[in-house]
Each structure stands twice: as structure tokens, then as C-alpha cells.
Amino acid sequence: MSTTSPLPELVPMDVAGRLGRLRAAFDGAGVDALFVTHLTNIRYLTGFTGSAALLAVTPDRALLVTDGRYAGQAPREVDAAGAPVEVGISAEAQRELVQAVLDGSARIGLEAEHVSWASRDRYASSWFPNADLVATAGLVEELRLAKDAGEIARIRRAGAFADAALAEVRPLLDEGLTERQIGLELDTTMRRLGASDTSFETIVASGSNGALPHARPSDRRIVAGDLVVIDIGALVDGYCSDMTRTVAVGEPSSTQVRMLEVVLAAQAAGVAAVRAGVPAADVDAACRAVIEDAGWGDAFSHGTGHGVGLDIHEARRVGRTSTATLAAGQVVTVEPGVYLPEHGGVRIEDTVVVTEVGAEPLTLTPKLTRVAQEHD
């Protein structure tokens, strides 16, 4: 029976400092307190990973409320994260617990992007009838943009699990398996290596299916002559990775080789454009220019990338209409593609950290090594 050396401890995250940064944004948002209902944001602020919770934040208190299923888990996770948060456990009296903290707050912020119309009416009529409810947008999400060292370490490890899984499973592409079978092998291997889950539904798309940017694995068998688009990501401590590689099975056609070379050059140009202070649209433009020069501009049918963190798709968006400017500590993808149904699809993607001097890749699987070997 083989044994595996334990992985080194991950760098701690600075959860304790997040509430202070959030409170500093209250004045600008015109609120005295914030009622947080989005579970991902609650996890970011408190360390709690359960499926049901509310968080009330005032200038001097923060209360996490959940139910009896998490009576042991919630205090343990909040304490482990070092978050300065009280914990209240109740299935029936959650409203009363929240009201006790927010009583006296004249303007209570709600997360407008995560609260339904019906919920807003309920909060106004029976939860906070004496307060003005203020629609806020992105208060917590703005904090989540720049990752600390602990967050980056988790995304890096998630990327390493995906790298290792693809290296292990890649030889199976020559064995006539279906897209679905390859996808299952990738998912199982990532978990066996140590990932807690996949960060999204793995894409394995071969032949004409590869020309569908978000194809789902099917029962189509992978055969010689196929380009196989593999989009894979792992989850570590809640943090996602995202990587795409395209593999040629057998001898690729001259058009397929050119597709691979053009997308490789486009992706390299995009990664080279990433650095703090650069408009996100400029990264998209760098990728798009290479593909347009090759005559395939219309075949690049999506944006160049997106932020990655606790969600697989976060701000900042990297696209031609993006108005964002990249900043140090942000984590984004660079993933140009060319999709030609008669030849297949090619996409190459890495997750990278934005730094003051460039991009630090967090996904490291070699690109096009097999094609290079066949055409040296």
C-alpha cells in the first residue's frame, strides 16, 4: 500500500481584519450597519462554511446566526478563523437575535444583488420596521477582490491538484474512452489527491463538441484526429482554481496545428499584458489582436477571463467592454479560444495573480507539449 507525504500547512488567511475593512466602507455606502445574507460573503467574513446563516454587522458588533445543525461547527470555525464574531444558535428566534444587534441602526444595508424583492419586503415589515433599508452593491465583494497570501496559497494548491490530475489522466485520451469517462476520472483523481471538490463541472469536449465553449461531457468517444478541450478546476478550503488545456489526439491536421499555435500565442500575449494598473480590457485586446490577425476574430466568441476566488466567476471581468483596472493581489484567468465546428475547438487558460510587475501563474500544466513533440 503506497503512502503519500502530508501536504504542508497552508498560510493562514487574515479573516480577523476583514470586518474592520467592511466597517470602513459603511459611510461611503450610507449605512449604519449591514445585514449579510449571501453565504459566500458570510464565509469570507467569519470562516463559517455551513449552508444556513445570517450575519449582522454594526460598527462595534458582529453576530453570526445559524441553526442547531451547526451548534458545534459554527463556533469552532469562527474561532479557528480568528474572526471577531459572536455566534447565536437558534432555529426559531433568528429574527430576534438579529434585531437585538441591529436595534438602533437607522440605516441598515441589504445586499441588493442577493436579496429577493419578497425578502426585502419581509425585512422592511417585520424584521426592521423602524429602520430605513438601503440597497448596497458589492461592499463585501470589493473586499474580496485583492487576495491575501493565505487565499493565494489555497488557489495555488487547488491549481496544483488540477495540474496533477490532468497529468495522471491525460494518457487515457488515447484509449478510446468517452468524454464522460475522462471527466469522471479527472474529478475522482482531484479528490483522491486532496481536493475537497471540483470548482465547477469539468469540461471534456472532443471533436465538434470542442467548438462549444461550455460543452458538457457526453458519451462521444475520443478518437484519433480530435482536439480535446479540457477545462478543469479544484476546490481547496473553499477556494477555486480554473485551467484549460487542449490536447491533440493522434496526428492533428494543419488547420488544427495552426489553431493551437494561434491560441497559444494569444494566451501568452494576454498573460504578458497582465499587471497592476492595466485596464482589464487591454488584456482582452492583447489576446484578441493575435486571433484577429490570424483571421479568426469571429471564432473567439467570449471574453478573455474573470476573477477567481471563493466563487469560480468573480470580479474583475476581463473583456473588451470591461471598465475595471487590474490591481495587485487580484486573481484572474486568461483564456482565449478559437472554435471552428469543422475542426474542433482550442482554448488555453491559466489562473494568474496580478502583481506590480506582471502575472504569477497558479496553474502550471505545460501547453501543447504533445503537439510540439510530434512536429519538431
Side-chain angles (χ1 to χ4, degrees):
M1 180 187 211
S2 62
T3 59
T4 305
S5 300
L7 293 167
E9 289 291 324
L10 289 165
V11 176
M13 296 182 288
D14 180 24
V15 179
R18 294 171 181 171
L19 283 171
R21 292 162 53 210
L22 175 64
R23 289 175 174 124
F26 281 4
D27 284 348
V31 300
D32 306 312
L34 185 66
F35 185 43
V36 186
T37 53
H38 185 50
L39 285 173
T40 305
N41 288 342
I42 291 172
R43 177 174 187 161
Y44 177 79
L45 293 169
T46 71
F48 176 62
T49 67
S51 62
L54 302 168
L55 178 65
V57 183
T58 72
D60 54 9
R61 290 185 68 185
L63 174 70
L64 171 74
V65 178
T66 186
D67 59 57
R69 292 174 296 170
Y70 301 110
Q73 176 182 334
R76 183 174 64 251
E77 289 185 335
V78 168
D79 182 65
V85 176
E86 305 165 49
V87 177
I89 305 295
S90 176
E92 297 81 19
Q94 294 188 4
R95 179 175 62 181
E96 290 76 11
L97 289 170
V98 170
Q99 287 173 328
V101 172
L102 297 183
D103 183 43
S105 298
R107 293 171 61 81
I108 299 173
L110 300 181
E111 297 181 290
E113 295 175 329
H114 307 296
V115 174
S116 68
W117 190 299
S119 295
R120 186 267 172 205
D121 285 349
R122 184 172 69 255
Y123 295 142
S125 63
S126 61
W127 283 61
F128 316 116
N130 299 318
D132 291 331
L133 299 186
V134 178
T136 68
L139 286 188
V140 182
E141 286 84 353
E142 283 293 315
L143 302 182
R144 290 168 49 191
L145 284 176
K147 274 60 177 179
D148 64 33
E151 293 177 285
I152 292 171
R154 283 153 178 78
I155 300 171
R156 179 180 285 108
R157 181 166 293 179
F161 286 144
D163 287 330
L166 184 52
E168 187 171 322
V169 173
R170 182 171 169 163
L172 298 179
L173 293 173
D174 291 323
E175 296 188 6
L177 299 179
T178 67
E179 296 169 348
R180 199 185 311 275
Q181 287 171 320
I182 294 294
L184 180 59
E185 289 291 334
L186 289 166
D187 293 352
T188 302
T189 303
M190 282 189 287
R191 290 189 177 94
R192 175 170 52 76
L193 291 170
S196 56
D197 203 347
T198 62
S199 54
F200 55 89
E201 183 179 2
T202 299
I203 295 172
V204 180
S206 60
S208 59
N209 289 346
L212 305 172
H214 267 206
R216 289 181 169 173
S218 73
D219 289 324
R220 182 188 185 280
R221 292 197 177 276
I222 296 167
V223 298
D226 282 345
L227 295 174
V228 185
V229 179
I230 298 175
D231 196 341
I232 181 175
L235 200 63
V236 171
D237 204 9
Y239 284 84
C240 304
S241 69
D242 196 357
M243 174 181 71
T244 307
R245 294 293 185 264
T246 301
V247 180
V249 177
E251 185 73 18
S253 69
S254 58
T255 298
Q256 290 174 329
V257 171
R258 183 164 176 260
M259 290 168 68
L260 289 160
E261 292 173 345
V262 167
V263 175
L264 178 63
Q267 205 254 353
V271 171
V274 171
R275 67 175 43 80
V278 170
D282 287 4
V283 178
D284 180 271
C287 292
R288 208 167 293 277
V290 175
I291 294 173
E292 288 175 348
D293 286 349
W296 285 327
D298 291 342
F300 180 14
S301 55
H302 54 77
T304 287
H306 54 85
V308 177
L310 285 169
D311 291 321
I312 189 59
H313 290 103
E314 296 187 349
R316 299 291 194 209
R317 187 173 61 84
V318 181
R320 68 169 90 203
T321 62
S322 175
T323 59
T325 298
L326 300 178
Q330 293 176 358
V331 176
V332 298
T333 65
V334 181
E335 50 179 301
V338 168
Y339 308 94
L340 305 174
E342 64 273 28
H343 300 285
V346 175
R347 183 166 66 254
I348 300 172
E349 172 189 22
D350 286 304
T351 301
V352 304
V353 183
V354 180
T355 75
E356 295 291 348
V357 297
E360 177 188 351
L362 301 180
T363 46
L364 304 176
T365 294
K367 301 161 190 150
L368 309 186
T369 52
R370 175 173 183 171
V371 172
Q373 289 168 359
E374 291 180 353
H375 290 270
D376 282 345

